[in-house]
Amino acid sequence: MRRFHSFYLLVFLIGLCLFLISCGEKTTPEEETDQMAKKNEMKEEPKMDIQKQTFGQMPDRQQVDLYVLTNGKGLSAKIMTYGATLVSLGVPDRNGDIADITLGCDSLEGYMAASPYFGSTVGRYANRIAKGKFTLEGVEYTLATNNGENHLHGGIKGFDKVLWQAEPFREEKMVGVKFVYFSKDGEEGYPGNLACTVTYMMTENDELKIIYEAETDKATPVNLTHHSYFNLAGQGEGNILSHELLLDADKYTPVDAGLIPTGEIRDVADSPMDFTTPHTIGERIDQVEGGYDHNFVLRSGGGALVLAARVYEPKTGRIMEIHTTEPGIQFYSGNFLDGTITGKAGKVYNQHYGFCLEPQHFPDSPNKPDFPSTILEPGAKYLSRTVFKFSIN
Ligand code: BGC
């Protein structure tokens, strides 16, 4: 009986030893390399990248390049040298599915044929100048008129229709492209040679930053902005009326029938212009004649880079925040889109299929002494910054 017990005790002890040995066993060098690779993969920095492609050719055969910026986390932007235009912006939704959230065209010819400033850099003066006239230092200037009797977005051949010189760059945690354009004295009627730089940067924090710089040799109005039509559900995916919008503006500038500000600065309170708390774009749009196409006066007053707008698309969870140093933001609800343009991937753009939020100075400022000045003097530096920041909820 005792011998029987000792036998089982021995078997138990041998089993225990084998178990302990197997627990303490070292991994093979191959297994170790494998485990390290896995750990490194988890730690690996997102891959920021920038690639250059050809987008098309101008009628005079100059090549139009496209720069593709990626942040390794799903955000990507394609920007071409024609108009320093944002051609597409890929953004992940709450399931990680990426959609292009800006309206536009598949080809350069599309942009040249009929683009209502899709993704463009707009200048020398974004928005309207009444009757294309203003007086500066006692001299009356006459600009090209291209919107009825008014001047709009820089005239017949604004900054959106010229070829910019591009220089890509990389910095720690960002990739970017610097676009340069020299606007000659008298171009579209403006005084002074203006050297302009627009720098797009993509960061690993899911931001697309744009910095505008300019210098002149004669006093001139300058008001540069970015003109993407956004649909956070994806370009061509229906209208934007259920997007929720917040604007940090408690005043706006009412306009006349030609969309020129009357000069009044009116409170948004108790009106369909009040987006100081989030409202869908469609909720009160019927109460606004023609739809939203107004300059909102930001509470910041301009200067500091602060939040101006936040837009949320409930189906996809995409959120876009706009931070700017500008004192105003033009909110345009795509009222003039009418289904006559077939855009990217064969999508037809009907009314309200995209919205624009254009950080800028107020329209017609050169004729409105009470509005913040848009006059750039020789020796001074124009500097404006806007950040589009993406997240999901
Ligand atoms: C203006 C609209 C104009 C649109 C396209 C917007 O910035 O506010 O009135 O129709 O650009 O030109």
Side-chain angles (χ1 to χ4, degrees), residues 116-117 127-128 152-153 227 229 259 293 330 332 336 358:
Y117 305 88
N127 220 313
R128 293 174 173 80
L152 173 68
H153 293 335
H227 206 288
Y229 288 68
L259 296 171
D293 198 354
Q330 179 82 9
Y332 169 56
F336 299 118
E358 310 153 42

Side-chain angles (χ1 to χ4, degrees), residues 86-89 100-107 111 118 229 235-236 341-349:
L86 180 65
V87 169
S88 88
L89 185 58
D100 177 1
I101 60 150
T102 57
L103 277 55
C105 309
D106 281 329
S107 67
Y111 282 96
F118 286 144
Y229 288 68
Q235 68 93 19
I341 297 178
T342 300
K344 290 183 270 190
K347 302 279 187 183
V348 173
Y349 299 145

